[in-house]
Amino acid sequence: MTATIDTRPQGANPFDPDAGLAGIGTPPASRAASTAPTGAVPRPSAPTPSVPTPSEQRARRSAPSSLPNGGVGASRTGARRGVITVTGSVGPRYGEILSTDALQFLAMLHDRFDAARDELIAQRQLRRQDIADGSDPDFRASTRPVRDDPHWRVAGSRRAPGLEDRRVEITGPTDPKMTINALNSGARCWLADAEDASSPTWPNVVEGQLALHDAIRGSLSFTNEAGKEYTLRSADIVDLPTIVFRPRGWHLDEAHLRYTDANGITSSALGSLVDFGLYFFHNAAELIARGRGPYFYLPKLEGYKEARLWNEVFEVAQDALGIPRGTIRATVLIETLPAAFEMEEILYELRDHCAGLNAGRWDYLFSVIKCFRTRGDSYVLPDRAQVTMTAPFMRAYTELLVATCHKRGAHAIGGMSAFIPDRRNPEVTRQAFQQVAADKKREAGDGFDGTWVAHPDLIPVAEAEFDAVLGDAPNQVSRQRPDVAVGQHELLDVASARRAGATVTSAGLRSNVSVAVRYIDAWLRGTGAAALDNLMEDAATAEISRSQVWQWIASGTVTHDDRLPVTRERVETILLDVVASLPSEPGSRLEDAAAIFRQVALQDDFPAFLTSPAYQAYLVDSPADQV
């Protein structure tokens, strides 16, 4: 299906500007094409002053940069603009990524969007508290005109080479070895992950950008400590999976780059803008020249205003580098409960730059728990292993996503089945193949256009299920789902999982503690995707584990098998036993991992993300954070 962008007659914008859904004021077809010359950096207006919160005023790293011009402003004009300063240590070739021009680009993005991001994070907190206090999320009345208008469409894969067929996408971090393995895997796309599958150590951040830079140019190679060499199977990027880069979410900082605004207020740079900005600045034009494009996954969005901010970032970034607006394509992960009620609005805000939506199932479960953590027993989820995608509230979420995407010409991409094979254990592999095949058969049958896998051996398994439905067609966007009728009740029917017989068990409680601690230990040592108990765990699944423990304690949940309540004391006993049972290896961070778990699962306060306090207090300046 070829999608069109906004086919309604031009004229006054029909959407309520007070609801914030007027785009930038006019429909996309009436916007003038960008004419900014290549390399030109616009002169943004001075940023709106903002007062940082106490957490934003915390001490920053003071190590001096050994890069020339370690502090670089956003303009060469001499006007007083914001400045990005490199405070992290510098390794080989870091200067290629952290160049003067690239830092100017980052400073310009922060000048334009730093204050707006802070406001959105504050709005998140208010909305989350409203839900915790008893206000159920629902479809917005003020944005109903967007949902009711049948005319508009997103850009989709139109004029986006490499995004037409996304039936199997492999995911993984961007270190050189994983980059080569992903690009050699035979998948249609690669989610190059700087977010949940990556620990945000300074080397991972910069060297991941270097790996992507070299891979796009066909020059990436890697030799491990044993002397094994890894090389790309082709130097031509069009012969390899299409790269879709995932930056960090709006909530995460980058402690190794410091932003000082025009008023002299200094804070950590934004991880989202750092990741996006460096990748786009160095690779957008090169990707286009080589027959691909700058494509992105956008994580952790909680509503249309956050999507609008990304759209504005895209417009400014494209204008700054002389790239036509609409060249960027983004796939948004619907992985928060509030975003599930704003799918169409999110698509609308990004319509010039939107390729589709993804069902980020694990973060979605985490968001459900986070939103309803204090709402009592009827909102308590059973063991994670018992919450399947066939649970009514999860099925409502995925059915609505497919119907919404296809209505607007967008691709619907399925989520990750956590099962992974073990080449040394045929039975584990057989079970993984069986579980993944069933999961992907359901997705393909429901109308998804593609799906995720975490291991190369799973690509043929997933591909077979989508081939059976798609045949030679690149996708099934033209398949509409008028049969789908999902409302507020269906999305919020969290109790449906337990009504179907799922329970909270002592084994599930211990598994949550064990998985969270082992994952955090791996994360602190620089590994963001860890194979644990034949499942691929990342930050999202660790968040589920610790959040369930917090909710079970707060709700007075009783484990079904032994009829004992989940208490702090009981969890502390399990935690001590888990830590004692794990081998102490060189570089182990188990004690720190246990301390973080206590902070995010056993305290009265519930941190919105475990990675935020863990990053500042335990990861920055740690051994894994050194170049």
Side-chain angles (χ1 to χ4, degrees), residues 208-427:
Q209 292 280 350
L210 277 167
L212 290 165
H213 173 279
D214 292 352
I216 289 165
R217 291 156 180 83
S219 62
L220 180 63
S221 62
F222 174 72
T223 303
N224 67 13
E225 294 179 355
K228 183 178 179 180
E229 296 183 3
Y230 296 80
T231 59
L232 295 171
R233 59 181 172 85
S234 174
D236 190 341
I237 197 69
V238 299
D239 295 334
L240 304 175
T242 301
I243 298 172
V244 187
F245 178 64
R246 178 162 71 168
R248 281 170 282 183
W250 283 127
H251 61 288
L252 292 171
D253 290 340
E254 174 48 65
H256 306 85
L257 294 174
R258 187 168 60 220
Y259 169 61
T260 303
D261 70 14
N263 301 294
I265 297 174
T266 297
S267 61
S268 291
L270 305 184
S272 51
L273 294 184
V274 169
D275 294 343
F276 163 81
L278 292 175
Y279 181 77
F280 185 80
F281 181 85
H282 289 293
N283 301 308
E286 190 72 24
L287 283 162
I288 295 165
R290 291 174 178 267
R292 286 292 184 256
Y295 307 141
F296 298 91
Y297 264 109
L298 301 181
K300 306 291 190 290
L301 269 64
E302 296 199 8
Y304 70 86
K305 291 182 180 179
E306 297 184 18
R308 180 195 304 150
L309 185 61
W310 269 119
N311 195 67
E312 292 170 353
V313 170
F314 294 162
E315 291 176 337
V316 167
Q318 288 167 130
D319 290 351
L321 300 188
I323 292 171
R325 291 189 178 188
T327 302
I328 289 174
R329 294 300 158 85
T331 303
V332 177
L333 291 118
I334 301 299
E335 53 186 355
T336 68
L337 183 64
F341 289 91
E342 300 185 23
M343 292 188 202
E344 286 195 79
E345 293 90 331
I346 288 169
L347 288 174
Y348 180 81
E349 290 287 352
L350 283 159
R351 59 198 181 280
D352 293 8
H353 299 107
C354 194
L357 303 178
N358 172 279
R361 61 177 71 172
W362 301 118
D363 263 304
Y364 187 77
L365 282 173
F366 163 48
S367 178
V368 168
I369 299 166
K370 178 162 54 176
C371 286
F372 294 126
R373 66 189 184 278
T374 59
R375 295 278 294 270
D377 186 66
S378 61
Y379 290 95
V380 167
L381 284 174
D383 290 357
R384 169 189 151 194
Q386 298 185 53
V387 185
T388 69
M389 295 306 294
T390 59
F393 79 102
M394 292 298 287
R395 185 146 182 81
Y397 148 69
T398 57
E399 291 276 85
L400 180 62
L401 188 144
V402 171
T404 301
C405 283
H406 290 185
K407 176 182 176 183
R408 302 302 183 181
H411 288 211
I413 307 299
M416 178 76 72
S417 178
F419 297 95
I420 55 174
D422 183 343
R423 292 171 180 172
R424 295 168 295 185
N425 189 326
E427 179 57 23

Side-chain angles (χ1 to χ4, degrees), residues 21-205:
L21 288 164
I24 60 170
T26 56
S30 66
R31 296 176 193 156
S34 170
T35 57
T38 301
V41 178
R43 299 182 182 181
S45 58
T48 302
S50 60
V51 179
T53 64
S55 63
E56 292 168 335
Q57 295 173 335
R58 58 186 174 270
R60 308 298 180 182
R61 304 189 67 208
S62 58
S65 168
S66 61
L67 292 173
N69 300 318
V72 180
S75 174
R76 296 186 181 95
T77 65
R80 190 170 181 228
R81 303 295 187 198
V83 174
I84 291 285
T85 305
V86 180
T87 60
S89 53
V90 178
R93 298 184 62 200
Y94 277 38
E96 295 179 36
I97 298 299
L98 304 171
S99 64
T100 297
D101 287 344
L103 295 179
Q104 286 181 325
F105 185 70
L106 292 185
M108 180 271 293
L109 292 178
H110 281 75
D111 281 348
R112 294 292 297 269
F113 302 114
D114 180 75
R117 173 269 198 177
D118 288 347
E119 177 62 27
L120 287 176
I121 294 301
Q123 291 178 14
R124 276 187 184 183
Q125 295 168 345
L126 292 174
R127 189 175 189 186
R128 191 177 303 128
Q129 189 59 51
D130 284 345
I131 296 172
D133 290 343
S135 176
D136 286 340
D138 200 353
F139 299 94
R140 291 179 181 266
S142 61
T143 61
R144 185 170 180 175
V146 172
R147 300 192 299 274
D148 288 349
D149 184 340
H151 297 95
W152 62 269
R153 300 290 185 273
V154 303
S157 60
R158 187 174 61 93
R159 293 199 297 271
L163 286 184
E164 301 90 348
D165 189 331
R166 303 174 63 176
R167 66 187 68 197
V168 180
E169 301 186 348
I170 193 167
T171 72
T174 58
D175 61 272
K177 177 183 174 182
M178 294 301 297
T179 296
I180 293 170
N181 285 344
L183 292 175
N184 289 345
S185 68
R188 302 300 174 102
C189 296
W190 169 41
L191 186 158
D193 198 2
E195 200 230 5
D196 274 359
S198 180
S199 171
T201 66
W202 183 232
N204 283 349
V205 169

